[in-house]
C-alpha cells in the first residue's frame, strides 16, 4: 500500500471526512459517502475502477487513521462519484491466523454492504486465495442508489400463509434449457423468468421460493464444475450478476426489481432462499473476497488456534450472533424488503443462527429475536430450515412466534408410508393434520409446518419413484456425496423404464405424493419441474450440475401434460375456501379440536393403527359445515374395498369423486362442478392409490 495518494473529485473539491453511518456506499448530494468496518486494520485504501476487467485503479483514496476513522469504522466522502462506479478496498493489518487476523493488503476486497457486484470475465477464485495482487481477476463493488427506481406503485401482497402455495425454483435453471422458448439473450435470467409467469399462474402458484440470488462464487465447486445452486455467498446485498441479461453494472439490480414487480402484478410473492450461515471464502486455504480480509475473528466462528468452525459443512461458519454480523444480516434483510420488495425469506441451515460464538446453541439467540421482533420485518414471511450440518435439529422447537419451518419429518414420513413401510399409519396421519405431535405444544397456527416431499437437495419427484439408490457419479466424488437414505422406491426397475406397468405405478405414486403435499394442513411447497416429472438421472446432490441435468426441460410439458393438469386442479382445490383454513385466530390445536373428524379403515369407524397396516380413511367436515370430504389412502400392494359413510346426513345427500390417483387422466381429478356421483355404499381403491370424495350443499 506504499505510495498511495489522495486524489480529488472532478469538481476539484477535496475529499471530505465522511461519516461512519450508513455503512457501505451511500449516494448523497455531490458524491458518495463510503463507510467500512475493520477493527484491527492499520491502513485502508479505497480504489476506483473504470472497467471491471481493469487491474489498475483509475483513482485511489487513502483513508487516514486519524481523519477518516471513527471507532472501528473507516469512512470518507468522495465528491463527483455517481451510481455505476466500480470500487473496492485494500486493507492492511496483522497477519496472524491463530489470533483471527488474516489481513492481506494485496487483495482487492468488495464492500460487505455493496448493493451491486461486477464480475470480470477473467475472474479467478484461485487468485483470491494465492499470494499477490488479484485486482484484474477480482469481483468489484458497484455504487448504487436504491432510490433510483420506479416501482410504479408496487406494494407487498401480504398473502396469508393459509392461501399460499410455494414453488421452489432456480432462476437460471427455470429457463436455461433451449426448449424454454425464451430468447437466447434472456434465457436463464431474471427477465427470462418473467416470460414464464403465465405458466406459474396456470399451475396455481402463489409464491416462488428462489434458490440463492445473492451474488455467489460459481467457481466454489469441484475442479471442472460450477456451483449451480448458489449456496456460496460473496455478498449479502447484491443480486447475482450472472442472472441478469443486462451487462451494465446496475443492470442486475433493476432487472431483479423488474422481475419482482412483474411477479407481484401476477399475484405471486417472492421468497428468497438466503444463506447467512457461511460464505464463499471457505476454510483456511480458501479465498479472500471480503470478510476474512476485514475482520476474520468478527465475521467467522473460530476454533482455538484460529481454525474455522464448520457447522455449515462448507468450510467456515458465519459468526451470526456477533453484534457486527447481526447488524449486517438484519440490514441485509431490510435492504431486500425495503429496496427490492421481496416478500419473505427461507433461511438455509437456520439452526446455525442459534449458535453463539463458540458454537454452543442458545435458548434465546439474539439474531433470531432481532429478526422476529423487527417492525420492518413484521408481516414478512420467515421460513427456517431448522437444522444444520453438525447435527443440531430444531424442527418443532425453533424460536419465536412467527417463524415457519421446513418440516423434514413430513417429507420422511409421507415417503415412508407411501412406499409401504410398516408402522407408519399414525405418523402419516399426523403429517396430514399439520404435525400436532411436533407443533401442538406451541399453540401456533396450522401453517407452522412447510410441507414438502422434494426440494432442490435430494431426488426430484420423478427420481424418488424411479431410483432405489443415488447416482451422483457426474459430481466427480465417486458417488460418495449426497444422502444415502432417500426413502425412495423405484417401483420395480432402476431408472427409466419402458415397462407400462412400472410407468403406471410411478405415475400413481407421483400423484399420491403430490396429493398429500397439497391437501395436508400446513403450507405446501413444490419443487420446480415435479409437475412434469423432471429427472436428474438419479442425482440427489446436483449442486454442481449447471447443465441439462438440472435445467427445466420444457418438452416435458407435452410428455406429462396430464400431470401438470392434475397439479393445477389440485392447487385450485387447495385454494378453495372450503378446503383452506383461512382463520388466523385459530391455532392448530383449536382447529383440530373444533374440526369434525371421523377415522375409518376399510370398515367405517374401525381405523387400523397396527404395525402392519398400510391404509387409512377419514371423513372431515369443513368449518362452515357446508362441505364434507372423505379421503381414502391405500399404500398396500393389493386393492382394498372401503365402506363409505351413509349419504343421508351429507350436504347434497350424495358423494362426488374429486380425485382418484389410480385413474387415467382426465378422470384422475376433475373440477368440483364436474365431479361424478358415487352411488355405491363402498369404494374399491386399487393398490398404492388414494381417492378424495366430497359432498356439499347445492
Amino acid at each position: 500500500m506504499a505510495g498511495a495518494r489522495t486524489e480529488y473529485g472532478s469538481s476539484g473539491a477535496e475529499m471530505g471526512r465522511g461519516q461512519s453511518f450508513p455503512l457501505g456506499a451511500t449516494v448523497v448530494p455531490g458524491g458518495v459517502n463510503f463507510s467500512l468496518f475493520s477493527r484491527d486494520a492499520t491502513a485502508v485504501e479505497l480504489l476506483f475502477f473504470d472497467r471491471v476487467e481493469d487491474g489498475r485503479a483509475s483513482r485511489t483514496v487513502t483513508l487516514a487513521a486519524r481523519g477518516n476513522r471513527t471507532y472501528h469504522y473507516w469512512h470518507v466522502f468522495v465528491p463527483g462519484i455517481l451510481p455505476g462506479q466500480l470500487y473496492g478496498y485494500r486493507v492492511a493489518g496483522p497477519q496472524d491466523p491463530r489470533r483471527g487476523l488474516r489481513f492481506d493488503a494485496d487483495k482487492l476486497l468488495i464492500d460487505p454492504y455493496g448493493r451491486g457486484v461486477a464480475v470480470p470475465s477473467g475472474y479467478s477464485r484461485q487468485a483470491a486465495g494465492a499470494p499477490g495482487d488479484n485486482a484484474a481477476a477480482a469481483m468489484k463493488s458497484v455504487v448504487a442508489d436504491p432510490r433510483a427506481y420506479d416501482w410504479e406503485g408496487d406494494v407487498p401482497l401480504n398473502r396469508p400463509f393459509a392461501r399460499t402455495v410455494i414453488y421452489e425454483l432456480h432462476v437460471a435453471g427455470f429457463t436455461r434449457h433451449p426448449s424454454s422458448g425464451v430468447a437466447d439473450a434472456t434465457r436463464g435470467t431474471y427477465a427470462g423468468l418473467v416470460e414464464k409467469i403465465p405458466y406459474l399462474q396456470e399451475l396455481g402458484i402463489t409464491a416462488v421460493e428462489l434458490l440463492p440470488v445473492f451474488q455467489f462464487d460459481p467457481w466454489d465447486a469441484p475442479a471442472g464444475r460450477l456451483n449451480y445452486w448458489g449456496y456460496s455467498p460473496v455478498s449479502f446485498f447484491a443480486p447475482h450478476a450472472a442472472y441478469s441479461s443486462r451487462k451494465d453494472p446496475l443492470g442486475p439490480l433493476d432487472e431483479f426489481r423488474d422481475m419482482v414487480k412483474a411477479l407481484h402484478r401476477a399475484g405471486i410473492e417472492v421468497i428468497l432462499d438466503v444463506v447467512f450461515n457461511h460464505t464463499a471464502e471457505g476454510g483456511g486455504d480458501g479465498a479472500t473476497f471480503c470478510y476474512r480480509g476485514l475482520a476474520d475473528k468478527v465475521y467467522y466462528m473460530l476454533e482455538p488456534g484460529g481454525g474455522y468452525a464448520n457447522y455449515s459443512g462448507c468450510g467456515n461458519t458465519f459468526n451470526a450472533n456477533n453484534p457486527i454480523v447481526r447488524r449486517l444480516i438484519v440490514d441485509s434483510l431490510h435492504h431486500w424488503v425495503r429496496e427490492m420488495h421481496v416478500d419473505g425469506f427461507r433461511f438455509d441451515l437456520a439452526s446455525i443462527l442459534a449458535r453463539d460464538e463458540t458454537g454452543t446453541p442458545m435458548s434465546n439467540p439474539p439474531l433470531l429475536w432481532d429478526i422476529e421482533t423487527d417492525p420492518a420485518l413484521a408481516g414478512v414471511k420467515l421460513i427456517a430450515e431448522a437444522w444444520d450440518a453438525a447435527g443440531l435439529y430444531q424442527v418443532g422447537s425453533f424460536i419465536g412466534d412467527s417463524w415457519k419451518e421446513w418440516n423434514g419429518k413430513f417429507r420422511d414420513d409421507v415417503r415412508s408410508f407411501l412406499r409401504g413401510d410398516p408402522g407408519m399409519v399414525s405418523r402419516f396421519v399426523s403429517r396430514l393434520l399439520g404435525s400436532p405431535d411436533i407443533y401442538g405444544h406451541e399453540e401456533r397456527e396450522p401453517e407452522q409446518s412447510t410441507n414438502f416431499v422434494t426440494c432442490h437437495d435430494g431426488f426430484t419427484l420423478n427420481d424418488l419413484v424411479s431410483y432405489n439408490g443415488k447416482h451422483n457419479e457426474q459430481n466427480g466424488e465417486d458417488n460418495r456425496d449426497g444422502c444415502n437414505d432417500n426413502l425412495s422406491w423405484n417401483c420395480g426397475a432402476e431408472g427409466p423404464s419402458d415397462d407400462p406397468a412400472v410407468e403406471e405405478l410411478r405415475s400413481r405414486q407421483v400423484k399420491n405424493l403430490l396429493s398429500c403435499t397439497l391437501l395436508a394442513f400446513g403450507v405446501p411447497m413444490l419443487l420446480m419441474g415435479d409437475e412434469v416429472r423432471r429427472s436428474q438421472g438419479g442425482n440427489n446432490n446436483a449442486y454442481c450440475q449447471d447443465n441439462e441435468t438440472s435445467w427445466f426441460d420444457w418438452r416435458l410439458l407435452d410428455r406429462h401434460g396430464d400431470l401438470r393438469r392434475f397439479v393445477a386442479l389440485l392447487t385450485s382445490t387447495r385454494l378453495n375456501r372450503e378446503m383452506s383454513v383461512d382463520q388466523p385466530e385459530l391455532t392448530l390445536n383449536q382447529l383440530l379440536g373444533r374440526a369434525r373428524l371421523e377415522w375409518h379403515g376399510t370398515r367405517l369407524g374401525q381405523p387400523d393403527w397396527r404395525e402392519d397396516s398400510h391404509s387409512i380413511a377419514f371423513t372431515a367436515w369443513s368449518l362452515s359445515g357446508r362441505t364434507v370430504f372423505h379421503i381414502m389412502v391405500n399404500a398396500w400392494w393389493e386393492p382394498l374395498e372401503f365402506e363409505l359413510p351413509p349419504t343421508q346426513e351429507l350436504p347434497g345427500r350424495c358423494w362426488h369423486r374429486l380425485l382418484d390417483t389410480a385413474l387415467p387422466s382426465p378422470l384422475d381429478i376433475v373440477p368440483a362442478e364436474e365431479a361424478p356421483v358415487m352411488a355405491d355404499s363402498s369404494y374399491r381403491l386399487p393398490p398404492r392409490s388414494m381417492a378424495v370424495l366430497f359432498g356439499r350443499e347445492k
Side-chain angles (χ1 to χ4, degrees):
M1 301 182 72
R5 64 188 187 281
T6 301
E7 294 195 357
Y8 297 84
S10 58
S11 64
E14 188 174 351
M15 304 293 170
R17 182 174 185 272
Q19 299 178 333
S20 59
F21 181 83
L23 286 161
T26 305
V27 178
V28 295
V32 174
N33 186 81
F34 294 87
S35 180
L36 179 77
F37 172 86
S38 186
R39 174 179 176 174
D40 296 303
T42 57
V44 175
E45 289 180 347
L46 173 59
L47 290 76
F48 296 103
F49 297 86
D50 292 338
R51 292 169 296 274
V52 68
E53 312 289 346
D54 289 352
R56 187 177 183 84
S58 58
R59 303 170 63 189
T60 302
V61 176
T62 299
L63 279 63
R66 291 190 176 182
N68 298 100
R69 180 172 181 171
T70 302
Y71 187 55
H72 303 315
Y73 298 95
W74 300 74
H75 46 81
V76 65
F77 169 75
V78 185
I81 299 296
L82 299 173
Q85 175 67 57
L86 305 177
Y87 70 101
Y89 290 97
R90 293 196 193 277
V91 180
Q95 177 64 232
D96 187 354
R98 294 182 62 84
R99 295 171 50 220
L101 302 168
R102 293 178 182 262
F103 291 94
D104 185 346
D106 288 332
K107 293 294 174 284
L108 185 71
L109 308 179
I110 65 166
D111 182 349
Y113 275 74
R115 266 50 174 183
V117 171
V119 185
S121 60
Y123 163 74
S124 171
R125 178 178 178 83
Q126 182 178 5
D133 185 344
N134 73 324
M139 300 184 192
K140 298 170 178 67
S141 292
V142 181
V143 173
D145 185 354
R147 300 164 296 182
Y149 181 79
D150 184 4
W151 279 104
E152 300 180 281
D154 179 78
V155 294
L157 297 181
N158 291 321
R159 184 185 296 273
F161 267 111
R163 300 191 57 75
T164 294
V165 177
I166 299 173
Y167 188 79
E168 187 194 39
L169 69 82
H170 187 285
V171 169
F174 195 46
T175 63
R176 187 78 173 276
H177 198 281
S179 65
S180 68
V182 175
D184 288 352
T186 51
R187 270 180 23 212
T189 67
Y190 305 119
L193 193 157
V194 170
E195 295 189 38
K196 293 298 186 180
I197 288 176
Y199 175 81
L200 297 171
Q201 290 177 295
E202 292 168 7
L203 204 57
I205 301 305
T206 70
V208 290
E209 184 172 302
L210 306 181
L211 265 67
V213 296
F214 293 178
Q215 179 64 48
F216 63 87
D217 181 10
W219 293 104
D220 186 10
R225 292 166 177 81
L226 292 175
N227 189 312
Y228 169 71
W229 284 351
Y231 292 87
S232 185
V234 170
S235 168
F236 299 105
F237 291 82
H240 191 59
Y243 292 167
S244 175
S245 62
R246 292 176 51 177
K247 303 308 174 189
D248 58 296
L250 295 173
L253 282 80
D254 287 344
E255 190 170 323
F256 178 90
R257 291 185 285 195
D258 289 345
M259 176 194 70
V260 172
K261 186 164 57 177
L263 285 163
H264 283 176
R265 285 174 174 168
I268 299 173
E269 293 185 309
V270 178
I271 300 170
L272 302 187
D273 192 335
V274 292
V275 185
F276 291 118
N277 57 75
H278 74 282
T279 78
E281 290 188 312
D285 58 350
T288 298
F289 301 123
C290 178
Y291 314 97
R292 94 171 8 128
L294 294 172
D296 192 50
K297 63 185 177 183
V298 170
Y299 285 110
Y300 295 112
M301 293 185 193
L302 301 180
E303 297 174 337
Y308 291 93
N310 190 18
Y311 299 103
S312 68
C314 297
N316 64 53
T317 306
F318 218 39
N319 195 10
N321 283 293
N322 175 281
I324 298 299
V325 185
R326 281 167 55 195
R327 181 179 298 113
L328 179 142
I329 292 173
V330 172
D331 287 348
S332 168
L333 298 175
H334 286 172
H335 166 70
W336 289 99
V337 169
R338 292 172 175 170
E339 309 297 346
M340 310 299 270
H341 283 209
V342 304
D343 303 279
F345 306 94
R346 177 265 186 189
F347 292 76
D348 178 65
L349 298 181
S351 290
I352 286 178
L353 309 183
R355 294 182 183 270
D356 67 15
E357 296 187 44
T358 69
T360 304
M362 293 182 283
S363 58
N364 287 294
L367 171 64
L368 294 178
W369 281 113
D370 286 350
I371 296 170
E372 163 87 12
T373 60
D374 192 312
L377 301 177
V380 171
K381 287 180 166 61
L382 302 174
I383 304 171
E385 183 184 36
W387 55 83
D388 67 20
L392 183 57
Y393 192 81
Q394 298 178 312
V395 172
S397 62
F398 204 74
I399 68 100
D401 298 323
S402 61
W403 290 85
K404 308 300 185 285
E405 297 174 14
W406 266 27
N407 188 348
K409 292 184 178 180
F410 181 96
R411 172 198 60 209
D412 296 345
D413 292 345
V414 170
R415 287 183 179 188
S416 292
F417 175 77
L418 291 177
R419 77 170 183 174
D421 290 356
M424 295 303 302
V425 173
S426 61
R427 288 162 67 177
F428 172 72
V429 165
S430 182
R431 302 304 153 249
L432 294 184
L433 296 180
S435 297
D437 57 327
I438 299 174
Y439 299 112
H441 66 285
E442 293 189 340
E443 290 298 336
R444 288 278 305 277
E445 64 282 358
E447 296 78 36
Q448 189 174 359
S449 173
T450 298
N451 299 329
F452 65 102
V453 289
T454 56
C455 65
H456 68 277
D457 188 2
F459 280 146
T460 66
L461 193 53
N462 177 81
D463 292 356
L464 184 67
V465 301
S466 302
Y467 294 91
N468 283 346
K470 64 184 183 180
H471 295 267
N472 297 354
E473 291 81 6
Q474 269 188 303
N475 296 353
E477 299 181 45
D478 296 323
N479 206 32
R480 294 189 304 271
D481 62 306
C483 182
N484 291 316
D485 185 12
N486 297 283
L487 300 172
S488 61
W489 177 48
N490 66 16
C491 298
E494 188 73 357
S497 174
D498 55 8
D499 184 333
V502 170
E503 270 303 291
E504 194 278 333
L505 180 54
R506 287 176 177 175
S507 175
R508 197 183 308 174
Q509 286 288 74
V510 164
K511 289 187 285 187
N512 291 337
L513 289 155
L514 288 167
S515 298
C516 291
T517 303
L518 283 162
L519 296 180
F521 287 168
V523 182
M525 185 186 78
L526 305 177
L527 172 63
M528 177 186 87
D530 275 355
E531 72 280 4
V532 289
R533 290 184 59 178
R534 183 179 71 86
S535 174
Q536 294 177 172
N539 193 324
N540 74 351
N541 189 35
Y543 75 100
C544 59
Q545 298 300 324
D546 188 8
N547 50 50
E548 293 192 15
T549 296
S550 301
W551 302 342
F552 192 122
D553 184 346
W554 290 85
R555 295 171 298 183
L556 294 171
L557 271 63
D558 293 330
R559 194 176 313 161
H560 295 295
D562 56 340
L563 183 61
R564 180 177 60 147
R565 171 190 174 275
F566 183 89
V567 173
L569 284 173
L570 200 53
T571 55
S572 176
T573 300
R574 164 85 191 191
L575 296 174
N576 182 292
R577 291 197 178 271
E578 284 297 297
M579 281 288 288
S580 64
V581 185
D582 193 6
Q583 298 194 27
E585 73 280 1
L586 289 182
T587 68
L588 177 61
N589 289 340
Q590 290 170 336
L591 172 64
L592 295 178
R594 186 178 300 184
R596 183 178 170 188
L597 289 169
E598 295 177 357
W599 297 100
H600 316 287
T602 54
R603 296 196 171 194
L604 293 177
Q606 298 181 34
D608 187 353
W609 306 105
R610 293 176 300 173
E611 179 80 4
D612 60 352
S613 174
H614 298 276
S615 65
I616 191 70
F618 61 96
T619 309
W621 277 255
S622 67
L623 292 180
S624 70
R626 292 190 295 269
T627 305
V628 60
F629 299 92
H630 187 70
I631 299 174
M632 299 163 284
V633 188
N634 178 15
W636 182 241
W637 38 90
E638 299 289 344
L640 294 175
E641 192 83 21
F642 287 83
E643 294 179 351
L644 296 181
T647 59
Q648 292 87 335
E649 298 181 4
L650 289 181
R653 295 189 179 276
C654 64
W655 287 113
H656 298 261
R657 186 184 66 228
L658 184 68
L659 71 83
D660 183 333
T661 61
L663 293 175
S665 181
L667 301 177
D668 51 358
I669 186 169
V670 296
E673 60 273 13
E674 300 175 16
V677 174
M678 299 290 104
D680 295 337
S681 60
S682 64
Y683 193 93
R684 184 176 176 80
L685 197 57
R688 302 189 187 278
S689 61
M690 63 183 292
V692 178
L693 312 182
F694 72 92
R696 69 177 180 186
E697 294 179 356
K698 296 182 179 178

